[in-house]
Every structure is written in structure tokens, then in C-alpha cells.
Amino acid sequence: MGNVARFKRIYIEITSSCNLKCSFCQETLRSPHFMSVDEFAHTLQQIRPYTNYIYLHVKGEPLLHPQLDEMVLQIKKIPGVSSVSLTTNAVLLAQHAKWLKEAGIDSINVSLDTIDASEYERTKKPLLEEVKHGINAAIECGIRVKINVVLTPQTDVVALTRYVAKKGTDIRFIEMMPVGEGHTNGVEPYKKVIGTLSKLYGEPCRINTEKTKEINSGNDKRKIPDNGPAEYYIFPELGIRVGLIQAIHGKFCDTCNRIRVTADGRLIPCL
């Protein structure tokens, strides 16, 4: 595994297949591939000495994998693993939330770039209500939830933040990488997000997350290590944390501690 020791958080892509067609993701999706349970077990054996934090998903939709529950259970049996997270588009989450909780999933990141039904249908499929039901189901099951938003010029920061604030979860706005659409995106995350929200909710204060962060979703108030690239802000009149992940305007490559294992077994040092 070479110099993988610096990467404390491992992202495992158990499938490259997806049930949506986001334009900024389609350009990088490969032929559909499902990691087998045996391949998954072998991957866990290889990475176990290097991490206590395992995430399922990078490209593709993990809830499409027919043996996802078995994979989560395998991870939870490993001594010392302190967190297992999953990233999903939440289309299938409502029907899976209960057994994900029972299997031991610690948190779920939901990718949601708009809450406008017509915009969601235009850029993906007419499935926004299913996504909302999935988010509600996960929260009701007591799973920690965060909402991830890929920033584009069309992103309605206020509408998304208001929706997430009602759920009591964190929201993170992610700068698009300079690949495909990202080459012409031209969005400055701080200006678009923090600048916009400060006009409505007051001047923000940046949170020091180097040591701990407080989880405020899924009825869980624990403090856990937060070594991620997100910059978090709180606003006087907003009861949630707003995060920025700025790959270009706030480069963090030199301190990045994440690495990715693809569904076809490749190790890639950039998410």
C-alpha cells in the first residue's frame, strides 16, 4: 500500500452504477461494475491497518448494491473502526434507512443540488419527493445526516439552506472540480454561499473543527473528530452549520487524508 498511511479516511466505491444522470457526474462515470462481497472483504483486509473511518461511495449509488447490508456488517465487525458512512442520492433511502441503522451505519451524506422539482427533473429524473422521503426516514431512524450540494451558477443557496435548517442537519457546499463542466463553472464558493447567507442570517463565525465537531442530526449530540477539508460556519440567526469544501479557492491537497478504492479495485489518491 506504499505511502497510504497518511490517508486516514478510506472511500470504497462498491459500485460505479447509478440511478440518476447528473450532468457533472456522467462525464466521469465508467462502465457499471459491482464489487463482490469477496472483493470487498479482501479490500477491507488490505486497508484495515491504515484507517478507522470508512466511507461507502464516490461514484455510483451504493444503495443499488444488493449486498450492501452484508458489507456494512463486515465493516462493523472490524475492531477499532469508529465510523462507517455512506453517501447516497437518497432516491432509495426511505426503503433502506431502517436496515442501514440496524446494520450499524453511523452517518449518511445525501447529495442534493436543488429542491426545485422542475430543476431536479430537468437535470436528473422526477424523483425529488422520493429523495425527501429518504432524508426524513434516515433522520427518523436516528441516523446522522448531512446534505452535500455541488455548487453551480444556478444553485439556490437560500432555498437549500432553509430546507436543511428545518431538518436540523449540516449542509456543505462543494466547489466543482475543474473537470468537464467545472472548467467553466466560475463560482466563488465563499462569495456565493457565505456572502449570500450573511445578508439574511447575520455575520458568520468560522468554527474551529481541528479537534472536534458536534453532530446535531439524528438525535445525536456527540463530539467526534473532524479531520475533513470542510470549513464550517455558524450564523447568529441560523441553527445549523454551513460548510464549504473548496478544491480550487481553498486548496487542501497538501493536507488531504482521503483516498479512494474504485469498484474495479484501483487505488486513486483523489476523490
Side-chain angles (χ1 to χ4, degrees), residues 200-212:
L200 295 174
Y201 302 110
E203 287 301 313
C205 175
R206 182 173 174 179
I207 306 171
N208 183 351
T209 59
E210 291 183 0
K211 294 183 179 179
T212 61

Side-chain angles (χ1 to χ4, degrees), residues 150-196:
V150 175
L151 272 174
T152 71
Q154 294 75 38
T155 301
D156 191 334
V157 171
V158 174
L160 282 159
T161 302
R162 284 175 173 166
Y163 167 75
V164 173
K166 292 178 182 178
K167 305 299 177 185
T169 73
D170 290 341
I171 184 170
R172 302 189 299 183
F173 293 90
I174 303 171
E175 183 173 19
M176 194 180 295
M177 295 290 285
V179 176
E181 286 189 16
H183 280 301
T184 58
N185 192 339
V187 175
E188 295 183 30
Y190 188 92
K191 181 178 180 180
K192 185 173 179 67
V193 176
I194 306 303
T196 299

Side-chain angles (χ1 to χ4, degrees), residues 93-95 97-98 131-143:
L93 185 55
Q95 56 194 279
K98 184 176 180 181
V131 172
K132 291 181 177 180
H133 290 320
I135 292 171
N136 292 337
I139 293 174
E140 290 169 5
C141 286
I143 301 173

Side-chain angles (χ1 to χ4, degrees), residues 101 105-108 135-146 164 166-170 214-222 240:
K101 176 66 175 179
I105 204 78
D106 293 291
S107 64
I108 291 177
I135 292 171
N136 292 337
I139 293 174
E140 290 169 5
C141 286
I143 301 173
R144 299 197 306 270
V145 174
K146 285 186 289 190
V164 173
K166 292 178 182 178
K167 305 299 177 185
T169 73
D170 290 341
E214 183 171 326
I215 298 301
N216 62 351
S217 171
N219 302 315
D220 191 340
K221 299 295 184 180
R222 290 181 294 156
I240 61 171

Side-chain angles (χ1 to χ4, degrees), residues 55-105:
Y55 300 78
L56 299 178
H57 172 79
V58 178
K59 300 292 183 183
E61 172 51 47
L63 294 182
L64 290 175
H65 202 294
Q67 295 170 299
L68 174 61
D69 54 344
E70 184 177 345
M71 291 176 167
V72 174
L73 288 170
Q74 281 191 27
I75 301 174
K76 297 300 290 188
K77 290 178 181 178
I78 300 175
V81 171
S82 54
S83 179
V84 181
S85 301
L86 177 145
T87 298
T88 174
N89 58 36
V91 170
L92 302 174
L93 185 55
Q95 56 194 279
H96 293 308
K98 184 176 180 181
W99 66 253
L100 281 171
K101 176 66 175 179
E102 293 173 350
I105 204 78

